[in-house]
Amino acid sequence: MDEEKICQQFDQVVRQLRGQQRLAFNQFWQAFVDAHLADLMTKYDCTDVYELATHHPQVYREWIAQIKMALYRHGVDEQGWQHLSYDEAGNLHIQREQQTLMIPIEA
């Protein structure tokens, strides 16, 4: 699957989450993006996300796509969405057959 298709699948999975599951994922997503965005803004000498997205739209889009692809490949997909959980700090946990993968909010 190519990048565009994976991102579309990821977005569809997130849209299909219901209630508390969707709220929890959206809280994780926002915190994760915010925590990692600072490095990207510093690299491109931007003061906020609007400036980054406006002056470097391709960089911003590619960065978001990379995050979506990584999460999709690690289990935020059509089969794995029901195995998502979050700890008190808001970190994402993806239960897999042999282990649980933890994706921390902070970089």
Side-chain angles (χ1 to χ4, degrees), residues 87-104:
D87 59 25
E88 290 180 15
N91 300 312
L92 173 63
H93 295 262
I94 303 170
Q95 182 65 44
R96 300 170 128 187
E97 286 183 30
Q98 309 241 350
Q99 64 184 358
T100 299
L101 175 65
M102 194 269 285
I103 301 175

Side-chain angles (χ1 to χ4, degrees), residues 46-83:
C46 297
T47 57
D48 60 28
V49 68
Y50 177 78
E51 183 180 0
L52 179 66
T54 302
H55 297 287
H56 306 282
Q58 189 65 26
V59 169
Y60 182 72
R61 281 193 299 274
E62 288 175 3
W63 181 75
I64 292 292
Q66 288 173 358
I67 295 170
K68 288 180 177 182
M69 289 186 342
L71 289 174
Y72 185 85
R73 288 185 175 135
H74 286 299
V76 182
D77 60 16
E78 298 83 355
Q79 291 78 40
W81 66 267
Q82 62 266 48
H83 302 290

